[in-house]
Amino acid sequence: MVRGKFLCSAASALLFVAASASAQAGTTTELLKRLHEKGILTDEEYAQLAKDDAAPAPAAAPAAMSDGKPVVRVADSGVGFDVGDVTVKISGSVNGFYTHESGQAAGLGTAVVGGVVPVGGGSSAIRNGLLPGFLKFDVTTKQGGWDVGAHFGMYPGINSVNYAAGGGANSAGRPVALQTAGIDFRQTYMTVGRAGFGEFKLGRDIGLFGSEGILNDITLLSVGSSGGNVAPSNTSLGRIGIGYIYTDFQPQITYTSPNLSGFQVSVGIFEPLQSLTGPGETSKSPGFQGKIVYDGKFGDFSARAWLSGITQKHNRVDGISYTGSGFDTGAKIGYGPVVLTGYYYNGSGLGTTALNLFDTDALGNKRDSDGFYVQGLATFGKFSVGGSYGASRLHYANAADAIANPALLRRNSSWVGQARYGLTSWVTLIGEYISTTARAHNGNEAQSDTVAAGAILFF
């Protein structure tokens, strides 16, 4: 029973960073694989849960009636309950890390516009990692042959934030007395689908482009690059801006196909995003994103490969228009206890670190960007060890851009070494070392070394 509860809640935890996962058969099996690869499930737990998942589920007994109303009963699995034909499931996560960053003191040659390495010397913090905490509610039922669901996800951090800075719940931190943490309400969406048809999602949830990059990053459950440790915000950066562009949570209408011989396709229309560094925009054209994923097993090898794309037209207030677009691709191969992952993205007018950040010069000329990471993770029982290297690069739009912005970011890069231990089915202990470098086109450079130790819990 404990294993069943853990499976449901941990799967729900990973869904918030997954691309729009279909409710069709095979989804639970894939999530089990990912939990096993990340070292959260032991070999024995994975084998038993995979066996249980393959077995047909017993038919639920009809709810008892009292005065014509259904009596609440405990759900067959997960943290939740059934009320008649409606299932309510609750999942959540909490994490905390001690981090110490040995950064450079500010001075000549350390300024990098768009760099992710803060300067100012060493700092220590008790903070969240790449994931904030979260509390997720899923209410699902079947009506007229359709699987229907309402989904809500709240993501509070443990650090106080500075709302006056203009970043909302994820603004820069404010580590002084009498402050409060931020609550980022990232998810509010509905799903409608059925077996053989696929699923529609309407509302706010994670995007398609870039979602596999963060989902398969080993720093997802840890810290990675801090992004600022003196006054920590809700989250660290992980590899955001140091291997991939953050996918973000966006208003969307997305369709995901059924699993077709290992292939699954998702396409969506998205709320258009304005440039973070442009002069503002007038008329708005919708954004479009799509993704195709393949999962397969070949003897002792398992494989997952993906390709996604994004495009959106921007219409600036100064009359300049341009279209930002990009793609990402990658693959993950598992053999025995070892999983190897490779990822790459390329964009034009797409920016770096966040969507549409530094995407053009002042005259609206598009800047190109690209990035990658490679990583390996090996799991032996409850122990996992892994490492990765990645970088994000930003290119000048033209020669005039180079003259006007000599300290513009050229490359953010980092090395990561990580060790994990599954203390219980809910709690994972994690230790990590991260070395991050930001380099400008004119040669300016900032570098930091970070150690982090803490734990993450899923229920």
Side-chain angles (χ1 to χ4, degrees):
M1 183 64 181
V2 173
R3 286 179 177 175
K5 288 184 178 181
F6 170 66
L7 166 62
C8 175
S9 52
S12 297
L14 287 180
L15 278 175
F16 99 92
V17 291
S20 49
S22 172
Q24 320 309 318
T27 298
T28 301
T29 300
E30 172 56 29
L31 290 173
L32 281 173
K33 290 179 182 178
R34 298 202 180 192
L35 291 168
H36 180 234
E37 292 164 357
K38 292 177 182 296
I40 297 174
L41 291 178
T42 66
D43 295 340
E44 294 78 11
E45 288 171 334
Y46 172 72
Q48 181 60 49
L49 288 169
K51 179 181 177 182
D52 293 343
D53 182 53
M65 302 297 289
S66 175
D67 299 327
K69 297 181 180 180
V71 176
V72 173
R73 66 172 187 253
V74 177
D76 293 330
S77 64
V79 180
F81 53 88
D82 290 343
V83 183
D85 58 357
V86 176
T87 297
V88 178
K89 291 186 178 180
I90 305 170
S91 60
S93 179
V94 181
N95 73 79
F97 294 88
Y98 168 79
T99 60
H100 179 77
E101 187 165 61
S102 301
Q104 292 178 261
L108 292 175
T110 62
V112 181
V113 178
V116 297
V117 177
V119 294
S123 62
S124 295
I126 306 296
R127 61 174 303 158
N128 281 123
L130 178 52
L131 290 179
F134 71 84
L135 184 63
K136 190 167 185 289
F137 295 86
D138 298 282
V139 183
T140 57
T141 188
K142 185 179 287 290
Q143 297 178 342
W146 292 93
D147 296 314
V148 178
H151 311 267
F152 306 91
M154 297 175 288
Y155 294 77
I158 66 173
N159 293 97
S160 299
V161 296
N162 183 4
Y163 286 96
N170 294 311
S171 67
R174 185 169 170 75
V176 298
L178 306 178
Q179 302 302 304
T180 184
I183 300 178
D184 181 358
F185 216 125
R186 297 185 181 185
Q187 294 172 300
T188 308
Y189 65 93
M190 60 176 284
T191 51
V192 179
R194 67 197 309 171
F197 172 82
E199 179 183 87
F200 276 98
K201 174 191 296 181
L202 299 87
R204 183 186 181 93
D205 196 22
I206 199 166
L208 299 179
F209 170 79
S211 59
E212 292 289 332
I214 193 170
L215 174 64
N216 292 285
D217 176 12
I218 61 172
T219 70
L220 176 64
L221 304 184
S222 56
V223 177
S225 297
S226 74
N229 205 47
V230 173
S233 181
N234 264 11
T235 72
S236 62
L237 286 177
R239 281 208 169 280
I240 295 173
I242 320 160
Y244 50 79
I245 297 175
Y246 182 48
T247 179
D248 223 319
F249 288 76
Q250 306 170 54
Q252 61 187 273
I253 299 175
T254 299
Y255 167 76
T256 298
S257 74
N259 190 301
L260 305 171
S261 300
F263 289 91
Q264 196 161 37
V265 178
S266 299
V267 292
I269 182 170
F270 286 72
E271 164 70 13
L273 299 176
Q274 296 188 21
S275 172
L276 283 165
T277 46
E281 300 185 20
T282 53
S283 60
K284 299 168 65 177
S285 301
F288 299 93
Q289 297 184 31
K291 183 175 74 168
I292 182 169
V293 176
Y294 173 75
D295 283 293
K297 190 169 179 61
F298 310 92
D300 295 330
F301 288 89
S302 64
R304 179 178 179 88
W306 61 87
L307 174 67
S308 74
I310 182 173
T311 185
Q312 182 194 318
K313 184 177 181 180
H314 298 265
N315 302 290
R316 301 190 352 169
V317 294
D318 56 10
I320 295 173
S321 297
Y322 66 96
T323 298
S325 59
F327 73 90
D328 73 344
T329 187
K332 179 175 63 177
I333 298 174
Y335 180 78
V338 178
V339 179
L340 302 176
T341 305
Y343 174 84
Y344 174 77
Y345 78 89
N346 188 288
S348 180
L350 201 62
T352 188
T353 306
L355 291 170
N356 308 310
L357 176 65
F358 301 112
D359 51 354
T360 71
D361 66 6
L363 299 178
N365 299 301
K366 294 190 294 185
R367 292 172 174 149
D368 293 338
S369 59
D370 66 323
F372 70 95
Y373 71 80
V374 291
Q375 73 181 24
L377 183 69
T379 301
F380 306 96
K382 292 188 175 184
F383 287 95
S384 296
V385 292
S388 69
Y389 174 77
S392 288
R393 297 174 291 233
L394 183 65
H395 306 278
Y396 282 129
N398 49 39
D401 190 18
I403 295 173
N405 301 286
L408 183 68
L409 171 72
R410 178 180 179 183
R411 182 182 69 211
N412 287 317
S413 62
S414 72
W415 290 93
V416 175
Q418 185 185 101
R420 304 177 187 171
Y421 176 73
L423 183 66
T424 73
S425 61
W426 283 19
V427 179
T428 301
L429 307 180
I430 304 176
E432 197 170 52
Y433 166 77
I434 311 99
S435 180
T436 310
T437 303
R439 179 172 295 174
H441 282 273
N442 66 356
N444 285 1
E445 183 175 289
Q447 196 273 334
S448 68
D449 295 295
T450 305
V451 292
I456 187 167
L457 176 152
F458 292 104
F459 71 88

